[in-house]
mmCIF file of all heavy atoms in Angstrom:
data_model
loop_
_atom_site.group_PDB
_atom_site.id
_atom_site.type_symbol
_atom_site.label_atom_id
_atom_site.label_comp_id
_atom_site.label_asym_id
_atom_site.label_seq_id
_atom_site.Cartn_x
_atom_site.Cartn_y
_atom_site.Cartn_z
ATOM 1 N N LYS A 1 -9.775 -6.405 -5.344
ATOM 2 C CA LYS A 1 -10.897 -6.739 -4.461
ATOM 3 C C LYS A 1 -11.153 -8.253 -4.439
ATOM 4 O O LYS A 1 -11.387 -8.826 -3.381
ATOM 5 C CB LYS A 1 -12.154 -5.997 -4.888
ATOM 6 C CG LYS A 1 -13.335 -6.279 -3.976
ATOM 7 C CD LYS A 1 -14.252 -5.108 -3.870
ATOM 8 C CE LYS A 1 -15.461 -5.384 -3.037
ATOM 9 N NZ LYS A 1 -15.200 -5.528 -1.626
ATOM 10 N N ARG A 2 -11.076 -8.882 -5.593
ATOM 11 C CA ARG A 2 -11.320 -10.325 -5.671
ATOM 12 C C ARG A 2 -10.359 -11.104 -4.768
ATOM 13 O O ARG A 2 -10.717 -12.122 -4.181
ATOM 14 C CB ARG A 2 -11.210 -10.806 -7.119
ATOM 15 C CG ARG A 2 -11.588 -12.254 -7.297
ATOM 16 C CD ARG A 2 -11.698 -12.672 -8.754
ATOM 17 N NE ARG A 2 -10.458 -12.527 -9.477
ATOM 18 C CZ ARG A 2 -10.265 -11.672 -10.485
ATOM 19 N NH1 ARG A 2 -11.219 -10.869 -10.891
ATOM 20 N NH2 ARG A 2 -9.101 -11.612 -11.102
ATOM 21 N N HIS A 3 -9.142 -10.598 -4.629
ATOM 22 C CA HIS A 3 -8.127 -11.276 -3.818
ATOM 23 C C HIS A 3 -8.016 -10.714 -2.400
ATOM 24 O O HIS A 3 -7.190 -11.182 -1.620
ATOM 25 C CB HIS A 3 -6.774 -11.209 -4.521
ATOM 26 C CG HIS A 3 -6.753 -11.979 -5.805
ATOM 27 N ND1 HIS A 3 -6.586 -13.347 -5.845
ATOM 28 C CD2 HIS A 3 -6.921 -11.588 -7.085
ATOM 29 C CE1 HIS A 3 -6.639 -13.755 -7.096
ATOM 30 N NE2 HIS A 3 -6.838 -12.704 -7.870
ATOM 31 N N GLY A 4 -8.840 -9.708 -2.081
ATOM 32 C CA GLY A 4 -8.844 -9.155 -0.725
ATOM 33 C C GLY A 4 -7.675 -8.231 -0.428
ATOM 34 O O GLY A 4 -7.282 -8.071 0.728
ATOM 35 N N ILE A 5 -7.130 -7.614 -1.466
ATOM 36 C CA ILE A 5 -5.977 -6.728 -1.315
ATOM 37 C C ILE A 5 -6.472 -5.304 -1.101
ATOM 38 O O ILE A 5 -7.265 -4.791 -1.885
ATOM 39 C CB ILE A 5 -5.066 -6.815 -2.554
ATOM 40 C CG1 ILE A 5 -4.532 -8.245 -2.674
ATOM 41 C CG2 ILE A 5 -3.950 -5.782 -2.490
ATOM 42 C CD1 ILE A 5 -3.856 -8.548 -3.986
ATOM 43 N N SER A 6 -5.975 -4.671 -0.049
ATOM 44 C CA SER A 6 -6.462 -3.330 0.289
ATOM 45 C C SER A 6 -5.721 -2.219 -0.439
ATOM 46 O O SER A 6 -6.308 -1.189 -0.738
ATOM 47 C CB SER A 6 -6.391 -3.093 1.796
ATOM 48 O OG SER A 6 -5.056 -3.169 2.243
ATOM 49 N N HIS A 7 -4.436 -2.402 -0.710
ATOM 50 C CA HIS A 7 -3.647 -1.329 -1.303
ATOM 51 C C HIS A 7 -2.671 -1.872 -2.347
ATOM 52 O O HIS A 7 -2.119 -2.957 -2.175
ATOM 53 C CB HIS A 7 -2.857 -0.584 -0.236
ATOM 54 C CG HIS A 7 -3.715 0.182 0.710
ATOM 55 N ND1 HIS A 7 -4.430 -0.424 1.718
ATOM 56 C CD2 HIS A 7 -3.981 1.506 0.788
ATOM 57 C CE1 HIS A 7 -5.102 0.497 2.381
ATOM 58 N NE2 HIS A 7 -4.844 1.673 1.837
ATOM 59 N N LEU A 8 -2.457 -1.067 -3.374
ATOM 60 C CA LEU A 8 -1.483 -1.371 -4.418
ATOM 61 C C LEU A 8 -0.405 -0.299 -4.374
ATOM 62 O O LEU A 8 -0.713 0.898 -4.379
ATOM 63 C CB LEU A 8 -2.157 -1.376 -5.792
ATOM 64 C CG LEU A 8 -1.238 -1.569 -6.995
ATOM 65 C CD1 LEU A 8 -0.665 -2.980 -7.005
ATOM 66 C CD2 LEU A 8 -1.996 -1.293 -8.294
ATOM 67 N N VAL A 9 0.847 -0.719 -4.318
ATOM 68 C CA VAL A 9 1.986 0.199 -4.345
ATOM 69 C C VAL A 9 2.769 -0.088 -5.611
ATOM 70 O O VAL A 9 3.139 -1.230 -5.874
ATOM 71 C CB VAL A 9 2.879 0.008 -3.095
ATOM 72 C CG1 VAL A 9 4.100 0.911 -3.168
ATOM 73 C CG2 VAL A 9 2.086 0.252 -1.824
ATOM 74 N N ARG A 10 3.013 0.958 -6.376
ATOM 75 C CA ARG A 10 3.760 0.798 -7.621
ATOM 76 C C ARG A 10 5.238 1.108 -7.396
ATOM 77 O O ARG A 10 5.580 2.051 -6.703
ATOM 78 C CB ARG A 10 3.184 1.717 -8.678
ATOM 79 C CG ARG A 10 1.803 1.271 -9.122
ATOM 80 C CD ARG A 10 1.256 2.200 -10.193
ATOM 81 N NE ARG A 10 0.019 1.703 -10.734
ATOM 82 C CZ ARG A 10 -1.165 1.835 -10.162
ATOM 83 N NH1 ARG A 10 -1.276 2.441 -9.010
ATOM 84 N NH2 ARG A 10 -2.249 1.353 -10.744
ATOM 85 N N LYS A 11 6.081 0.291 -7.995
ATOM 86 C CA LYS A 11 7.526 0.532 -7.969
ATOM 87 C C LYS A 11 7.850 1.549 -9.061
ATOM 88 O O LYS A 11 7.194 1.537 -10.098
ATOM 89 C CB LYS A 11 8.284 -0.756 -8.252
ATOM 90 C CG LYS A 11 8.131 -1.824 -7.221
ATOM 91 C CD LYS A 11 8.890 -3.050 -7.701
ATOM 92 C CE LYS A 11 8.584 -4.271 -6.872
ATOM 93 N NZ LYS A 11 9.216 -5.464 -7.404
ATOM 94 N N PRO A 12 8.852 2.354 -8.879
ATOM 95 C CA PRO A 12 9.635 2.525 -7.660
ATOM 96 C C PRO A 12 8.835 3.309 -6.633
ATOM 97 O O PRO A 12 7.922 4.057 -6.969
ATOM 98 C CB PRO A 12 10.860 3.305 -8.132
ATOM 99 C CG PRO A 12 10.375 4.088 -9.304
ATOM 100 C CD PRO A 12 9.307 3.250 -9.954
ATOM 101 N N MET A 13 9.182 3.147 -5.384
ATOM 102 C CA MET A 13 8.478 3.841 -4.301
ATOM 103 C C MET A 13 9.507 4.491 -3.384
ATOM 104 O O MET A 13 10.665 4.102 -3.382
ATOM 105 C CB MET A 13 7.615 2.877 -3.516
ATOM 106 C CG MET A 13 8.422 1.930 -2.662
ATOM 107 S SD MET A 13 7.492 0.588 -2.008
ATOM 108 C CE MET A 13 8.036 -0.705 -3.096
ATOM 109 N N VAL A 14 9.053 5.455 -2.629
ATOM 110 C CA VAL A 14 9.928 6.057 -1.625
ATOM 111 C C VAL A 14 9.428 5.640 -0.256
ATOM 112 O O VAL A 14 8.254 5.308 -0.068
ATOM 113 C CB VAL A 14 9.983 7.596 -1.749
ATOM 114 C CG1 VAL A 14 10.631 8.014 -3.062
ATOM 115 C CG2 VAL A 14 8.622 8.208 -1.610
ATOM 116 N N ARG A 15 10.321 5.641 0.700
ATOM 117 C CA ARG A 15 10.020 5.152 2.040
ATOM 118 C C ARG A 15 8.809 5.855 2.666
ATOM 119 O O ARG A 15 7.958 5.208 3.279
ATOM 120 C CB ARG A 15 11.236 5.317 2.932
ATOM 121 C CG ARG A 15 11.080 4.647 4.258
ATOM 122 C CD ARG A 15 12.281 4.771 5.150
ATOM 123 N NE ARG A 15 13.508 4.833 4.385
ATOM 124 C CZ ARG A 15 14.681 5.157 4.900
ATOM 125 N NH1 ARG A 15 14.794 5.446 6.161
ATOM 126 N NH2 ARG A 15 15.754 5.193 4.153
ATOM 127 N N ALA A 16 8.722 7.169 2.507
ATOM 128 C CA ALA A 16 7.608 7.912 3.120
ATOM 129 C C ALA A 16 6.269 7.470 2.541
ATOM 130 O O ALA A 16 5.277 7.354 3.277
ATOM 131 C CB ALA A 16 7.803 9.413 2.921
ATOM 132 N N ASP A 17 6.225 7.226 1.240
ATOM 133 C CA ASP A 17 4.974 6.759 0.622
ATOM 134 C C ASP A 17 4.601 5.372 1.133
ATOM 135 O O ASP A 17 3.435 5.090 1.402
ATOM 136 C CB ASP A 17 5.096 6.736 -0.902
ATOM 137 C CG ASP A 17 5.203 8.123 -1.498
ATOM 138 O OD1 ASP A 17 4.847 9.114 -0.809
ATOM 139 O OD2 ASP A 17 5.644 8.223 -2.664
ATOM 140 N N MET A 18 5.591 4.505 1.271
ATOM 141 C CA MET A 18 5.325 3.157 1.771
ATOM 142 C C MET A 18 4.832 3.216 3.209
ATOM 143 O O MET A 18 3.887 2.509 3.572
ATOM 144 C CB MET A 18 6.593 2.298 1.666
ATOM 145 C CG MET A 18 6.338 0.844 1.943
ATOM 146 S SD MET A 18 5.311 0.128 0.648
ATOM 147 C CE MET A 18 4.682 -1.286 1.490
ATOM 148 N N ALA A 19 5.436 4.064 4.016
ATOM 149 C CA ALA A 19 5.003 4.212 5.406
ATOM 150 C C ALA A 19 3.560 4.693 5.475
ATOM 151 O O ALA A 19 2.769 4.214 6.295
ATOM 152 C CB ALA A 19 5.923 5.182 6.149
ATOM 153 N N ALA A 20 3.185 5.620 4.599
ATOM 154 C CA ALA A 20 1.808 6.128 4.578
ATOM 155 C C ALA A 20 0.822 5.028 4.187
ATOM 156 O O ALA A 20 -0.266 4.928 4.761
ATOM 157 C CB ALA A 20 1.700 7.316 3.625
ATOM 158 N N VAL A 21 1.193 4.200 3.226
ATOM 159 C CA VAL A 21 0.323 3.098 2.800
ATOM 160 C C VAL A 21 0.158 2.088 3.936
ATOM 161 O O VAL A 21 -0.947 1.605 4.198
ATOM 162 C CB VAL A 21 0.876 2.411 1.531
ATOM 163 C CG1 VAL A 21 0.172 1.091 1.258
ATOM 164 C CG2 VAL A 21 0.751 3.333 0.335
ATOM 165 N N ILE A 22 1.230 1.780 4.626
ATOM 166 C CA ILE A 22 1.155 0.839 5.750
ATOM 167 C C ILE A 22 0.222 1.387 6.832
ATOM 168 O O ILE A 22 -0.645 0.678 7.338
ATOM 169 C CB ILE A 22 2.554 0.545 6.322
ATOM 170 C CG1 ILE A 22 3.352 -0.275 5.310
ATOM 171 C CG2 ILE A 22 2.464 -0.174 7.668
ATOM 172 C CD1 ILE A 22 4.828 -0.397 5.641
ATOM 173 N N ARG A 23 0.381 2.652 7.177
ATOM 174 C CA ARG A 23 -0.473 3.251 8.205
ATOM 175 C C ARG A 23 -1.934 3.216 7.773
ATOM 176 O O ARG A 23 -2.820 2.858 8.551
ATOM 177 C CB ARG A 23 -0.018 4.704 8.454
ATOM 178 C CG ARG A 23 -0.826 5.454 9.484
ATOM 179 C CD ARG A 23 -0.517 5.017 10.916
ATOM 180 N NE ARG A 23 -1.348 3.882 11.308
ATOM 181 C CZ ARG A 23 -1.025 2.986 12.228
ATOM 182 N NH1 ARG A 23 0.118 3.059 12.866
ATOM 183 N NH2 ARG A 23 -1.817 2.000 12.544
ATOM 184 N N GLU A 24 -2.203 3.583 6.516
ATOM 185 C CA GLU A 24 -3.580 3.576 6.014
ATOM 186 C C GLU A 24 -4.158 2.163 6.013
ATOM 187 O O GLU A 24 -5.304 1.953 6.401
ATOM 188 C CB GLU A 24 -3.626 4.170 4.605
ATOM 189 C CG GLU A 24 -5.020 4.323 4.073
ATOM 190 C CD GLU A 24 -5.047 4.966 2.704
ATOM 191 O OE1 GLU A 24 -4.244 5.878 2.459
ATOM 192 O OE2 GLU A 24 -5.884 4.554 1.885
ATOM 193 N N ALA A 25 -3.370 1.194 5.579
ATOM 194 C CA ALA A 25 -3.842 -0.192 5.540
ATOM 195 C C ALA A 25 -4.201 -0.687 6.935
ATOM 196 O O ALA A 25 -5.208 -1.375 7.116
ATOM 197 C CB ALA A 25 -2.785 -1.088 4.904
ATOM 198 N N LEU A 26 -3.399 -0.348 7.919
ATOM 199 C CA LEU A 26 -3.674 -0.789 9.288
ATOM 200 C C LEU A 26 -4.868 -0.066 9.903
ATOM 201 O O LEU A 26 -5.560 -0.630 10.750
ATOM 202 C CB LEU A 26 -2.431 -0.590 10.164
ATOM 203 C CG LEU A 26 -1.276 -1.537 9.874
ATOM 204 C CD1 LEU A 26 -0.027 -1.096 10.615
ATOM 205 C CD2 LEU A 26 -1.640 -2.971 10.210
ATOM 206 N N ASP A 27 -5.120 1.163 9.469
ATOM 207 C CA ASP A 27 -6.230 1.940 10.019
ATOM 208 C C ASP A 27 -7.575 1.618 9.371
ATOM 209 O O ASP A 27 -8.622 1.870 9.956
ATOM 210 C CB ASP A 27 -5.958 3.439 9.866
ATOM 211 C CG ASP A 27 -4.855 3.929 10.792
ATOM 212 O OD1 ASP A 27 -4.513 3.203 11.758
ATOM 213 O OD2 ASP A 27 -4.315 5.018 10.550
#
């Protein structure tokens, strides 16, 4: 929050999870 970051993704990740985070972040 202090840095204005909306989402944290932990490695390793799968493409579908990353796509969901991107969609949520944009919405």
Side-chain angles (χ1 to χ4, degrees):
K1 182 148 177 70
R2 186 171 61 245
H3 294 280
I5 298 168
S6 62
H7 293 76
L8 175 68
V9 177
R10 291 181 173 80
K11 295 177 191 175
M13 72 192 103
V14 295
R15 189 179 329 169
D17 292 342
M18 190 67 201
V21 167
I22 291 169
R23 179 75 273 154
E24 186 178 322
L26 289 170
D27 289 344

